C-alpha cells in the first residue's frame, strides 16, 4: 500500500511539474508571429472576407491565459463598395486556466476598445452580415427534441468577471435601397459583479444620430439556464427628455422567452422630444401648452404567442386614460378602453 501511495504521489507530482513547466515555457518557445499569416488565411477562408491583425498579437499562459491584439480588420464580401465590415482598435482578455478544469470561469478582464461595425443593405437587397452558405445540408432525420435545452444547465459551474467593458464603439447602418444612414456612436458598456449567483450591474451609453441614449440597472442572477425567471430592473434615458423604467423579469429564457414587467414612462414633453429630433410635431395645435405633458404606466406580459397590458394609465396634459390590451398570436382578441 505504501508503494502504491508513493508511486501515486510521484505521478501526481510529476504531472504538476510538467503542467507548470508547460505554462512557463510554451509562451517563450512558441512564436505566435510565425503562425499569424496562417491564422489570417484560415479566418479569411472561413468568413469569405479579407482578414488581418497587427503584428502585436500576443498570447500568454501564466498566471492568466490571455490574448491581446490591435488593429483587427475584417472586410466585406465582394459586391459591397464599403471596405470594412468590422474593425477593432485593440482587445485584451485574461482568464484563469486551472479553474476551467472544473467548469469554473474566472475572467480577469475582457476589454474591447473602439470596435466599429458597418451594416449595409445594397440596392439589390443583399446584406453584408450574412455568412457564406455552406453546401452541406443537415440530414432530414436529424431533429433536436423540443425543450432539450431546458434539461441542462449552463455549461459552467461558476462564473466571475472582474472587468468587462466595451469602449468607444460604433455601429453604422447604411441602406442603399432607401438612401438612409444611421449611426450609433460613442458606445460604452460596462458590466460589474458578473457572476451566476448575483445580479449583474449594467451601464450602457451611446449617441444615436447625435442624440444621447443610456441604460443602467441590473439583470439576474442568471443562475441555471432552465430557471423560470430572471429578475431585471433597467432604466433607459434618451434625448435628454425621455426616461423609461422596466422592472420585472425575463420568463423561461431557455424554452419560451418572454417578459413580465412594470413599465413606467416618466412625464415628458412630446413637443420638446420632436424638436430634439429635428422634426416637426405631426399634430398642429393652436395652444402651445397642448400635448406638452405625457406619462405612461402599465403592467406588461408578453411572449412569442401573446401580449397583455393591464393597469394601463396614460396621462396627457391634464387628462388620464385607463386602458388594457390583450392579443393572441398576432390577432387582437380583446381591446377595450
Amino acid at each position: 500500500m505504501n508503494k502504491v501511495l508513493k508511486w501515486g504521489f510521484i505521478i501526481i507530482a510529476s504531472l504538476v511539474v510538467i503542467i507548470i513547466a508547460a505554462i512557463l515555457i510554451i509562451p517563450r518557445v512558441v512564436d505566435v508571429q510565425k503562425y499569424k499569416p496562417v491564422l489570417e488565411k484560415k479566418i479569411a477562408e472561413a468568413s469569405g472576407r479579407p482578414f488581418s491583425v497587427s503584428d502585436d498579437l500576443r498570447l500568454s499562459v501564466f498566471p492568466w491565459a490571455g490574448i491581446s491584439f490591435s488593429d483587427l480588420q475584417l472586410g466585406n464580401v465582394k459586391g459591397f463598395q464599403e471596405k470594412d465590415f468590422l474593425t477593432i482598435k485593440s482587445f485584451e482578455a485574461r482568464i484563469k486556466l486551472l479553474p476551467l478544469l472544473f467548469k469554473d470561469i474566472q475572467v480577469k478582464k475582457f476589454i474591447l476598445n473602439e470596435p466599429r461595425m458597418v451594416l449595409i443593405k445594397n440596392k439589390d437587397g443583399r446584406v453584408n452580415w450574412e455568412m457564406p452558405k455552406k453546401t452541406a445540408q443537415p440530414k432530414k432525420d436529424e431533429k433536436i427534441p423540443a425543450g432539450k435545452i431546458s434539461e441542462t444547465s449552463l455549461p459552467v459551474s461558476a462564473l466571475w468577471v472582474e472587468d468587462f467593458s466595451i469602449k468607444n464603439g460604433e455601429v453604422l447602418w447604411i441602406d442603399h435601397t432607401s438612401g438612409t444612414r444611421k449611426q450609433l456612436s460613442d458606445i460604452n458598456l460596462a458590466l460589474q459583479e458578473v457572476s451566476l449567483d448575483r445580479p449583474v450591474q449594467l451601464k450602457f451609453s451611446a449617441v444615436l444620430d447625435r442624440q444621447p441614449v443610456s441604460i443602467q440597472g441590473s439583470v439576474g442572477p442568471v443562475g441555471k439556464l432552465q430557471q423560470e425567471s430572471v429578475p431585471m430592473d433597467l432604466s433607459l434615458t434618451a434625448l435628454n427628455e425621455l426616461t423609461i423604467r422596466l422592472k420585472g423579469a425575463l420568463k423561461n429564457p431557455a424554452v419560451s422567452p418572454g417578459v413580465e414587467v412594470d413599465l413606467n414612462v416618466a412625464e415628458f414633453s412630446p413637443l420638446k422630444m420632436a424638436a430634439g429630433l429635428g422634426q416637426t410635431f405631426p399634430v398642429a395645435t393652436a395652444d402651445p401648452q397642448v400635448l406638452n405633458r405625457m406619462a405612461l404606466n402599465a403592467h406588461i406580459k408578453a411572449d412569442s404567442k401573446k401580449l397583455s397590458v393591464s393597469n394601463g394609465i396614460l396621462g396627457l396634459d391634464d387628462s388620464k386614460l385607463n386602458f388594457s390590451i390583450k392579443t393572441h398570436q398576432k390577432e387582437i382578441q380583446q381591446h377595450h378602453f
Side-chain angles (χ1 to χ4, degrees), residues 7 17-18 27 29 67 72 109 112 118 128 135 143 174-175 188 207 223 238 253 261 268 278 299 329 332:
W7 279 108
V17 171
I18 292 171
V29 174
I67 181 173
L72 180 147
K109 60 175 61 177
L112 193 59
V118 183
N128 70 333
T135 55
K143 294 182 179 180
I174 302 174
D175 187 347
N188 290 280
V207 176
V261 296
F268 69 100
H299 182 78
Q329 295 181 344
I332 297 178

Side-chain angles (χ1 to χ4, degrees), residues 124-140:
D124 59 5
R126 293 178 60 208
V127 293
N128 70 333
W129 58 85
E130 288 184 345
M131 295 294 291
K133 294 182 180 180
K134 297 181 180 180
T135 55
Q137 298 295 327
K139 296 180 181 179
K140 293 182 178 180

Side-chain angles (χ1 to χ4, degrees), residues 271-292:
L271 295 176
K272 290 181 180 179
M273 192 170 71
L277 292 171
Q279 299 179 357
T280 303
F281 197 75
V283 179
T285 61
D287 186 349
Q289 298 303 315
V290 175
L291 302 178
N292 202 39

Side-chain angles (χ1 to χ4, degrees), residues 43 84 97 142 158 162 172 200 255 264 276 309 325:
I43 294 178
D84 294 321
L97 274 180
E142 284 185 348
E162 181 176 327
L172 182 62
V200 176
V255 183
N264 173 260
V309 179
I325 301 173

Side-chain angles (χ1 to χ4, degrees), residues 38-336:
V38 177
L39 174 66
E40 292 176 333
K41 181 180 178 181
K42 293 296 184 182
I43 294 178
E45 290 176 350
S47 64
R49 308 162 183 267
F51 174 82
S52 66
V53 66
S54 181
D55 290 337
D56 64 351
L57 174 65
R58 294 288 183 271
L59 297 178
S60 61
V61 181
F62 183 81
W64 300 83
I67 181 173
S68 64
F69 59 77
S70 65
D71 298 328
L72 180 147
Q73 291 182 309
L74 182 63
N76 273 312
V77 294
K78 293 181 180 180
F80 292 88
Q81 63 184 32
E82 290 78 4
K83 177 183 176 182
D84 294 321
F85 169 65
L86 173 68
T87 61
I88 297 174
K89 185 66 176 177
S90 64
F91 172 77
E92 182 179 7
R94 296 185 181 276
I95 183 171
K96 276 191 175 180
L97 274 180
L98 293 182
L100 292 177
L101 299 175
F102 308 99
K103 298 183 180 180
D104 181 2
I105 299 179
Q106 298 184 23
V107 180
K108 177 70 173 177
K109 60 175 61 177
F110 184 102
I111 301 176
L112 193 59
N113 188 34
E114 294 187 30
R116 184 177 188 268
M117 180 177 288
V118 183
L119 304 176
I120 307 165
K121 184 177 182 181
N122 268 353
K123 290 183 178 180
D124 59 5
R126 293 178 60 208
V127 293
N128 70 333
W129 58 85
E130 288 184 345
M131 295 294 291
K133 294 182 180 180
K134 297 181 180 180
T135 55
Q137 298 295 327
K139 296 180 181 179
K140 293 182 178 180
D141 57 350
E142 284 185 348
K143 294 182 179 180
I144 299 176
K148 176 72 174 178
I149 192 172
S150 67
E151 299 173 3
T152 62
S153 60
L154 289 171
V156 297
S157 61
L159 172 67
W160 170 80
V161 182
E162 181 176 327
D163 184 4
F164 181 102
S165 58
I166 298 175
K167 301 178 180 179
N168 301 318
E170 179 182 353
V171 176
L172 182 62
W173 162 252
I174 302 174
D175 187 347
H176 290 297
T177 62
S178 61
T180 59
R181 182 186 179 99
K182 296 291 182 180
Q183 183 180 37
L184 186 66
S185 61
D186 296 331
I187 299 172
N188 290 280
L189 171 66
L191 302 180
Q192 301 175 346
E193 302 180 16
V194 179
S195 70
L196 299 180
D197 56 1
R198 67 179 66 181
V200 176
Q201 305 300 314
L202 177 151
K203 290 184 179 180
F204 170 86
S205 63
V207 176
L208 176 60
D209 290 340
R210 293 181 290 183
Q211 297 294 334
V213 178
S214 66
I215 301 173
Q216 63 179 7
S218 64
V219 177
V222 176
K224 296 180 179 180
L225 187 63
Q226 73 268 31
Q227 73 182 65
E228 296 181 357
S229 180
V230 177
M232 61 181 289
D233 188 353
L234 299 173
S235 294
L236 180 148
T237 303
L239 310 173
N240 293 319
E241 183 68 31
L242 186 64
T243 299
I244 301 173
R245 184 179 182 186
L246 295 171
K247 185 175 183 180
L250 302 172
K251 296 293 186 178
N252 302 312
V255 183
S256 178
V259 295
E260 182 173 0
V261 296
D262 288 316
L263 168 68
N264 173 260
V265 180
E267 186 176 282
F268 69 100
S269 170
L271 295 176
K272 290 181 180 179
M273 192 170 71
L277 292 171
Q279 299 179 357
T280 303
F281 197 75
V283 179
T285 61
D287 186 349
Q289 298 303 315
V290 175
L291 302 178
N292 202 39
R293 291 183 292 117
M294 180 180 288
L296 175 65
N297 289 279
H299 182 78
I300 301 174
K301 294 179 66 175
D303 56 30
S304 60
K305 296 182 178 180
K306 57 183 179 297
L307 164 70
S308 68
V309 179
S310 58
N311 301 323
I313 302 175
L314 175 64
L316 184 60
D317 295 329
D318 295 324
S319 302
K320 285 188 178 181
L321 181 67
N322 298 325
F323 67 94
S324 65
I325 301 173
K326 287 185 179 181
T327 68
H328 182 69
Q329 295 181 344
K330 299 181 181 180
E331 293 182 0
I332 297 178
Q333 292 184 331
Q334 180 179 357
H335 188 177
H336 61 274

